Amino acid sequence: MPHKCLWVVSPLYLFKKYTCHPLPRCRLRTANCYPRHSIRQLYLRANYQVRQLNRQVIEKIHCDEIIQSPIDVVRELLENAIDAQSTVITLEWQQDLKTIRVMDNGVGMSLTDLELCIQSHTTSKITSVDDLYRIRTLGFRGQALWAISIYSESLSISSRPASEFVGYRLEYSHPMLSEKVIYTPSFVPVPHDVGTCVQVCFYEAATRQQEKQIRNMFQRYALIYPNISFRLRKGEARPHLVYSTCRHYLERVVQILNIPSNELRYHRVQIQDEQQHLVGDIQVIVGLPERIHRARNDWMWTSINGRVLEHSNSSNMFQQVIMEKTKKMIPSGRYPLCLVLIQLKPNLVIWDASPKKSGVQVMQCIQQDLMDKISFCIDRALEISDGVYKDDSEWTNPMLWYPLQRNNAPQSSDTFQKWRVAGQVKNTYVVVETEASVLLLEQHVAHEGVLFEQLCELWRSKTEWISFCSIPSPLLLQGVPQIVIERLKQLHIHSRSLDGRHTWAIDEIPQIIFDMLHKKNSSSMEAQLIRMVDPQRNLEDNLADFACRCAWKNGMQLTEVQMNTLVDEWIHIKGNKRTCPHGRPIFIQLDENYLSRLFKRNWTNVDERN
């Protein structure tokens, strides 16, 4: 008795039922015989149907896609590949820099989707107005491919979903005629892997500067999405940039920027609303300011829900927080390495802040909390700890090593629980031995940092908390403007007027400033006070210079009491322990693991053996 089967008779997806001989086994396909690797794509494909947006949604968006250069084209294609749940994305440049190709292994598009995707306001990301308030994808307006087709000379899209056995290529070109432009789309069946390949040919070749900007943008997306493998190829040669899949953001930073992992710090904190409900989290990766800083701010990135923000738009307030926290840790005119990754509930993100999707903003009610959390993360990430460990579960590459503070470590300013001063080297460096490392402090920079933090704490303190010192003979300030007197009041130095105009007398000053002025005998106290509150400069910068002038100089032999006092005051600093206010590093930490690697030994402590 003849039996029925389902089989493919042509690449046009025409299925027929036969009651005679079935096809050979290699071509037999039934509804339950899809390849195993495509089960996930089949599941995702159900929610990735391209649809035409209704008029209500279009009017709510009220913004068109902006395509002005090849950079915008590549950005839109990369975001589409990421939204398609791809695990491998390849960007290919032709040698003439006139044609680009973006390939991915995402869910792909059927023939019906290919016909719709080239039209305006067609997308698979949203369907109704309510979806605009829970956007979880990078694209949602449905105009990227339509705008690219208008901007480019020709557009070719090849795609195949996992539910079908042959792909289709859409070739879209508009040759210039004498009177009008005629758009001629065509669909060609082609053999294709699961996924999508988009090829764009421009009217003019991209410049070298645009190529460099595209490469930087490619690296930024690779940083934000470590679970995706990114490849950049130029011509038919082998990829010259390959970023394999990582399990942690830190590993991707090491992979892209080629920075040792022990020079990076990481901290993560959760965000809660007023009802203590979890609404998101913030992850901060910052480079050690005493080792990593740049002449440009190209290593400062901020992302919200996976979208890289531009420096000139809504990320300004976050960039200001980063610069405010690190401006006294790095030299003047330099920028830190800092990556801020913000994940929020979609209803807290304003998606229509500007025509460009990179101009997203967050709700006003959570902005201050975000800035406080970023500041907190930077402080915690740059804390100095004597406990060093490595969590192997977070790393794909076992050769990477990363120090983190233990979760059960005591939360106090004294991160070195046990230490002792071993001595002084060349009358410049103080050697300190801790439980798990050896510290080498430069005495001038360390003392400068201590004095600066004491002055800043005095600046922020209330008058009733400060101890004052009476001066036997009052200090006279003559011919000083009123702004100098106001700045002295900020440092709790109160003066009385003698003539009601330009002559002032000071009877008492804070004990900290008196001790610093008493040790500095190069000029009079009056001249040093006026220089410390110079109105032509920022008060914080004046305090930094004043601390530098009053600090112990290198080459000065210190007593044991002085060295112990210096180390104790430096350990208990509430602010920056890593660098002086001018950005010079205070110490070098040599932990036991680093020393054992230098000597090519595997040392074990006596306590651990016992």
Side-chain angles (χ1 to χ4, degrees), residues 426-438:
K426 294 186 177 296
N427 293 337
T428 301
Y429 307 102
V430 178
V431 182
V432 182
E433 180 183 357
T434 65
E435 289 184 326
S437 62
V438 176

Side-chain angles (χ1 to χ4, degrees), residues 332-344:
S332 178
R334 308 287 291 185
Y335 297 91
L337 161 63
C338 189
L339 177 63
V340 179
L341 306 164
I342 303 174
Q343 287 290 335
L344 295 173

Side-chain angles (χ1 to χ4, degrees), residues 201-471:
C201 182
F202 307 110
Y203 286 102
E204 296 180 358
T207 62
R208 296 295 178 181
Q209 181 65 23
Q210 290 176 339
E211 182 186 8
K212 183 179 179 181
Q213 294 176 1
I214 289 175
R215 175 174 174 172
N216 294 337
M217 179 180 61
F218 182 81
Q219 291 179 335
R220 286 197 297 269
Y221 279 106
L223 280 172
I224 303 300
Y225 296 93
N227 58 331
I228 301 177
S229 176
F230 287 84
R231 301 174 183 179
L232 179 61
R233 178 188 292 114
K234 190 170 182 180
E236 299 297 334
R238 297 176 59 186
H240 67 280
L241 283 181
V242 178
Y243 304 130
S244 57
T245 304
C246 305
R247 296 174 56 189
H248 200 279
Y249 289 105
L250 288 164
E251 187 174 354
R252 183 52 66 86
V253 173
V254 173
Q255 191 180 63
I256 294 178
L257 302 182
N258 196 22
I259 295 176
S261 58
N262 59 347
E263 295 184 1
L264 299 173
R265 295 295 181 267
Y266 169 86
H267 191 74
R268 179 176 183 176
V269 65
Q270 294 181 344
I271 307 173
Q272 297 179 344
D273 56 8
E274 297 178 354
Q275 290 76 25
Q276 302 300 318
H277 296 156
L278 183 64
V279 297
D281 62 23
I282 295 179
Q283 301 181 66
V284 173
I285 300 175
V286 59
L288 295 182
E290 67 270 20
R291 301 185 186 181
I292 304 176
H293 44 77
R294 301 269 292 177
R296 299 177 297 172
N297 62 345
D298 55 345
W299 280 7
M300 294 174 59
W301 301 289
T302 306
S303 72
I304 296 179
N305 291 0
R307 182 171 291 136
V308 183
L309 303 183
E310 295 181 357
H311 295 294
S312 58
N313 289 333
S314 60
S315 62
N316 261 344
M317 59 179 180
F318 304 127
Q319 302 292 339
Q320 291 174 2
V321 172
I322 296 172
M323 292 303 301
E324 184 69 24
K325 296 299 297 184
T326 59
K327 67 178 182 179
K328 289 301 178 184
M329 300 182 184
I330 55 180
S332 178
R334 308 287 291 185
Y335 297 91
L337 161 63
C338 189
L339 177 63
V340 179
L341 306 164
I342 303 174
Q343 287 290 335
L344 295 173
K345 285 188 174 180
N347 58 348
L348 295 176
V349 179
I350 304 174
W351 50 266
D352 58 349
S354 69
K356 289 188 176 182
K357 293 192 294 289
S358 58
V360 298
Q361 295 180 358
V362 296
M363 293 293 183
Q364 188 70 29
C365 60
I366 201 173
Q367 287 184 5
Q368 187 60 44
D369 189 23
L370 286 179
M371 291 189 289
D372 295 340
K373 289 291 195 304
I374 292 174
S375 178
F376 172 76
C377 286
I378 294 176
D379 289 337
R380 289 298 306 274
L382 293 179
E383 279 186 351
I384 301 174
S385 174
D386 204 28
V388 178
Y389 80 104
K390 169 186 162 185
D391 187 1
D392 293 330
S393 63
E394 294 288 342
W395 296 93
T396 306
N397 188 351
M399 298 301 295
L400 293 175
W401 173 88
Y402 180 72
L404 288 173
Q405 186 171 350
R406 295 180 185 273
N407 296 330
N408 57 358
Q411 303 299 324
S412 64
S413 58
D414 187 5
T415 53
F416 297 107
Q417 299 299 319
K418 296 181 180 180
W419 58 270
R420 73 177 186 88
V421 175
Q424 187 183 21
V425 179
K426 294 186 177 296
N427 293 337
T428 301
Y429 307 102
V430 178
V431 182
V432 182
E433 180 183 357
T434 65
E435 289 184 326
S437 62
V438 176
L439 304 178
L440 196 64
L441 277 73
E442 185 183 340
Q443 60 189 33
H444 170 71
V445 180
H447 196 213
E448 177 185 348
V450 169
L451 295 180
F452 176 74
E453 293 297 334
Q454 290 177 352
L455 290 174
C456 291
E457 187 176 358
L458 171 69
W459 184 13
R460 296 186 293 262
S461 300
K462 297 182 180 179
T463 305
E464 55 269 18
W465 298 347
I466 301 172
S467 61
F468 290 89
C469 176
S470 300
I471 303 176

Side-chain angles (χ1 to χ4, degrees), residues 566-594:
L566 173 63
V567 175
D568 183 70
E569 291 178 344
W570 171 72
I571 287 178
H572 289 83
I573 287 179
K574 296 181 179 179
N576 175 29
K577 295 186 180 70
R578 295 189 172 276
T579 60
C580 74
H582 295 101
R584 292 184 290 268
I586 292 178
F587 71 100
I588 295 177
Q589 184 176 9
L590 305 176
D591 59 89
E592 289 183 330
N593 294 332
Y594 177 74

Side-chain angles (χ1 to χ4, degrees), residues 26-229:
C26 61
R27 299 187 61 185
L28 182 63
R29 293 290 186 270
T30 61
N32 297 323
C33 294
Y34 295 116
R36 292 185 178 179
H37 70 275
S38 63
I39 297 299
R40 179 174 176 271
Q41 284 89 340
L42 288 173
Y43 174 77
L44 294 171
R45 183 62 199 157
N47 298 323
Y48 278 83
Q49 299 294 329
V50 178
R51 306 175 183 88
Q52 180 75 39
L53 297 178
N54 56 46
R55 178 55 56 183
Q56 185 181 6
V57 179
I58 295 175
E59 292 177 353
K60 185 66 177 177
I61 294 176
H62 67 74
C63 285
D64 293 333
E65 204 67 51
I66 298 178
I67 301 295
Q68 298 176 338
S69 66
I71 303 173
D72 299 327
V73 174
V74 175
R75 183 189 69 245
E76 296 297 335
L77 295 181
L78 288 178
E79 291 181 354
N80 284 345
I82 294 172
D83 289 339
Q85 304 295 322
S86 306
T87 58
V88 178
I89 298 177
T90 303
L91 172 61
E92 182 177 322
W93 274 97
Q94 296 299 327
Q95 294 292 344
D96 56 357
L97 299 180
K98 192 177 179 180
T99 304
I100 65 168
R101 184 183 298 132
V102 176
M103 297 169 284
D104 64 74
N105 64 342
V107 295
M109 291 184 290
S110 63
L111 178 58
T112 305
D113 294 340
L114 282 175
E115 294 176 348
L116 290 175
C117 72
I118 205 66
Q119 301 178 16
S120 177
H121 295 296
T122 55
T123 181
S124 61
K125 316 297 173 40
I126 59 175
T127 57
S128 62
V129 177
D130 295 336
D131 293 337
L132 293 174
Y133 301 99
R134 48 175 180 265
I135 295 175
R136 299 183 181 274
T137 55
L138 299 178
F140 56 90
R141 293 172 180 165
Q143 289 185 293
L145 294 177
W146 171 76
I148 292 173
S149 66
I150 296 177
Y151 173 81
S152 60
E153 180 180 1
S154 64
L155 174 65
S156 174
I157 306 176
S158 303
S159 185
R160 179 173 78 88
S163 59
E164 300 179 1
F165 313 111
V166 68
Y168 267 88
R169 181 172 69 246
L170 180 149
E171 296 178 351
Y172 198 83
S173 61
H174 38 89
M176 297 297 295
L177 299 180
S178 58
E179 296 181 356
K180 60 180 180 178
V181 179
I182 298 179
Y183 300 93
T184 57
S186 61
F187 299 90
V188 181
V190 292
H192 198 280
D193 291 334
V194 175
T196 304
C197 174
V198 182
Q199 179 173 312
V200 181
C201 182
F202 307 110
Y203 286 102
E204 296 180 358
T207 62
R208 296 295 178 181
Q209 181 65 23
Q210 290 176 339
E211 182 186 8
K212 183 179 179 181
Q213 294 176 1
I214 289 175
R215 175 174 174 172
N216 294 337
M217 179 180 61
F218 182 81
Q219 291 179 335
R220 286 197 297 269
Y221 279 106
L223 280 172
I224 303 300
Y225 296 93
N227 58 331
I228 301 177
S229 176

